[in-house]
Amino acid sequence: MTTFKRSAGLLLHRRTEHGVEVLLGHMGGPYFAHKDAGAWSVPKGEYEPDEPAWDAARREFQEELGLAPPEGEAVPLGEVQQKNGKIVTVWAIEADLDPATVVPGTFRMEWPPTSGRIQEFPELDRVEWLTVERARAVLVPAQAEFLDRLTEHSD
């Protein structure tokens, strides 16, 4: 039996004169450095089966952005399965934050491949507020479902 990795995250959203905007992160590291479409994600991270998804979502928000998760009503947006098999669970919270205050966590990997050199990269190399339309164009494809669910909830 195949067990898929699980991730949980928080999708912050705010209402502006341009409509609803969502806070997304551009994935860090060399694989995504020059990519836009499919290189943005809800701030999220993996968790073990014995950790509640809600707790993981809040912990991962803190780890990925370096900021405490905002308080407020958390609206469950359910889960989606990404192309790589990972199951992602997300909650939406209406909140505002200044992306300039983000201090992203980091990860280490061998780069260039087979070089024997271990380098450190930010988990997210930038965080921005995007309109739902723009977010849909750049988000990891399976995560676009969360935008639909958020829009249904916000109407």
Side-chain angles (χ1 to χ4, degrees), residues 17-35:
E17 66 273 8
H18 307 293
V20 173
E21 293 181 337
V22 294
L23 186 75
L24 298 180
H26 184 270
M27 291 180 270
Y31 294 120
F32 298 101
H34 302 290
K35 293 184 173 122

Side-chain angles (χ1 to χ4, degrees), residues 23 61 64-67 97-105 124 126-127:
L23 186 75
F61 185 92
E64 297 249 329
L65 302 182
L67 302 171
L97 69 77
D98 180 355
T101 63
V102 169
V103 181
L124 301 172
R126 62 190 183 275
V127 175

Side-chain angles (χ1 to χ4, degrees), residues 22 24 38 130-141 143-148 151:
V22 294
L24 298 180
L130 304 172
T131 63
V132 171
E133 296 76 25
R134 172 80 176 124
R136 189 177 307 284
V138 298
L139 200 54
V140 170
Q143 292 181 27
E145 178 66 27
F146 294 130
L147 299 175
D148 296 339
T151 301

Side-chain angles (χ1 to χ4, degrees), residues 14-125:
R14 67 183 185 183
R15 298 167 201 276
T16 72
E17 66 273 8
H18 307 293
V20 173
E21 293 181 337
V22 294
L23 186 75
L24 298 180
H26 184 270
M27 291 180 270
Y31 294 120
F32 298 101
H34 302 290
K35 293 184 173 122
D36 197 39
W40 291 78
S41 177
V42 172
K44 61 171 184 48
E46 292 182 11
Y47 65 99
E48 296 300 321
D50 60 344
E51 182 180 16
W54 170 245
D55 293 347
R58 293 178 54 78
R59 175 181 50 75
E60 287 294 335
F61 185 92
Q62 176 106 30
E63 288 179 13
E64 297 249 329
L65 302 182
L67 302 171
E71 298 301 324
E73 178 190 0
V75 176
L77 298 181
E79 59 184 38
V80 299
Q81 187 165 10
Q82 296 183 164
K83 188 174 163 183
N84 63 4
K86 184 181 286 182
I87 297 168
V88 181
T89 305
V90 167
W91 284 264
I93 297 179
E94 188 167 356
D96 200 356
L97 69 77
D98 180 355
T101 63
V102 169
V103 181
T106 59
F107 69 96
R108 297 168 59 83
M109 67 180 279
E110 182 181 17
W111 190 260
T114 70
S115 68
R117 291 182 47 214
I118 302 297
Q119 295 192 51
E120 192 168 16
F121 298 97
E123 295 268 358
L124 301 172
D125 58 21

